[in-house]
Amino acid sequence: MSMVASGVAPREDIPFTDADFQMLAGLARREFGLDLAASKKPLVYSRLSRRVKARGLVSFADYLALVTTKGENEERLALISALTTNVTSFFREKHHFETLTTVCLRQARAKLDAGGRFRIWSAGCSTGQEPYSIAMTILAAWPDALRRDVRVLATDIDPIVVDRARQGIYSGQDAEALGKDPYRKWIRDSDDGTVSITDEPRALITFAELNLMDPWPFKGPFDAIFCRNVAIYFDQPTQQALWQRFAGLLTETGNLFIGHSERISGPAETSLQACGVTSYRKVTESETKPSNRSIQWV
Ligand SMILES: C[S@@+](CC[C@H](N)C(=O)[O-])C[C@H]1O[C@@H](n2cnc3c(N)ncnc32)[C@H](O)[C@@H]1O
């Protein structure tokens, strides 16, 4: 029987005081925008006590000193990996990919044919299933995408998952979510039971490390931004600032897709309008201007 099931609190073999927790929560908020409410103290303990031991330390005070040491990037990234989850899958929340096809790709085709560009950002891409699903959706709708100015940017704060995304190798079980046609043609089976993504979807994507809390080294604009199941870790002011930054980076007809338990709130509500389940479209300039028809002329 587990300790929790028997009602006995797990013993903390490394002391974890409220002050330790507050210091860690402050660091996680400042550096990564993470919201660690007091109720998360046991979870933080269980995830980070492993890191304390792995680094051969005996107290959280030592661990805090380590992660705040200038240049100690490795442990800071291990810290965010321990505090967030990388859970993802191919075509997660399928309806977003349907909207991508029926709305975003459909309305952008004329622009593409006129020599224009098409850009999508998968922000918080984890191990890559999301950007590969985007690339496959594009290729299914636009078989000529590789000869056009079409790119997908895929970023995550965690270099380990970005590396795995770049490799594009998945278990056969992961690949089941791709179904058969038309996506199956963009994966290759290996003898060891894994599958790898073929060159075509890969060629559309640029992978990079990026902390969403930092300045973004690009200006956009993006025809669509996927930032799903990432902001859920952030406190409300951080989320609201993020929505506002995304809205500023979308094209006039751009769409934002967010996670199933996330909602747009704050100042971005005036520039983003719900157009489906957790899908938003940019409100055009003409929609925000007062209508001439409302002028009462006498
Ligand atoms: C649950 S995964 C979501 C993956 C994918 N978007 C999906 O919905 O399937 C959350 C990802 O957000 C990333 N993340 C958390 N905080 C971040 C931050 N401040 N900047 C960039 N990425 C962050 C994590 O590293 C993790 O890979």
Side-chain angles (χ1 to χ4, degrees), residues 93-100 228 257-258 277-279:
E93 291 170 65
K94 211 168 165 225
H95 57 99
H96 285 160
F97 299 90
E98 286 159 9
T99 306
L100 178 59
R228 308 182 310 159
F257 299 99
I258 64 175
V277 181
T278 53
S279 309

Side-chain angles (χ1 to χ4, degrees), residues 31-34 80-81 84-89 92-93 122-127 130 155-158 161 210-213 226-230 232-234 259:
E31 303 261 335
F32 313 118
L34 300 184
I80 189 161
S81 277
T84 60
T85 139
N86 300 121
V87 172
T88 185
S89 55
R92 184 180 196 183
E93 291 170 65
S122 164
C125 66
S126 188
T127 42
E130 181 177 277
T155 64
D156 200 284
I157 193 173
D158 183 343
V161 295
L210 179 72
N211 179 354
L212 289 170
M213 298 304 113
F226 283 66
C227 185
R228 308 182 310 159
N229 311 300
V230 179
I232 193 170
Y233 301 110
F234 304 157

Side-chain angles (χ1 to χ4, degrees), residues 1 8 19 42 50-51 85 109 136 146-147 151 188 209 214-216 236 260 262:
M1 196 185 350
V8 180
R50 281 180 233 147
R51 292 302 317 156
T85 139
R109 185 66 221 195
M136 290 179 192
L146 287 168
R147 297 191 302 278
R151 303 289 313 153
R188 223 182 348 253
E209 287 165 35
D214 289 345
W216 300 340
Q236 206 188 36
H260 55 91
E262 296 158 345

Side-chain angles (χ1 to χ4, degrees), residues 189-262:
D189 292 311
S190 303
D191 292 341
D192 62 2
T194 61
V195 302
S196 56
I197 305 288
T198 63
D199 290 344
E200 273 193 309
R202 281 172 191 277
L204 286 179
I205 308 173
T206 301
F207 290 101
E209 287 165 35
L210 179 72
N211 179 354
L212 289 170
M213 298 304 113
D214 289 345
W216 300 340
F218 42 77
K219 289 199 182 82
F222 290 95
D223 296 272
I225 298 175
F226 283 66
C227 185
R228 308 182 310 159
N229 311 300
V230 179
I232 193 170
Y233 301 110
F234 304 157
D235 62 17
Q236 206 188 36
T238 308
Q239 285 187 9
Q240 293 186 348
L242 188 64
W243 307 140
Q244 185 77 330
R245 284 176 88 189
F246 284 146
L249 228 57
L250 286 171
T251 60
E252 269 279 289
T253 53
N255 285 72
L256 173 66
F257 299 99
I258 64 175
H260 55 91
S261 51
E262 296 158 345

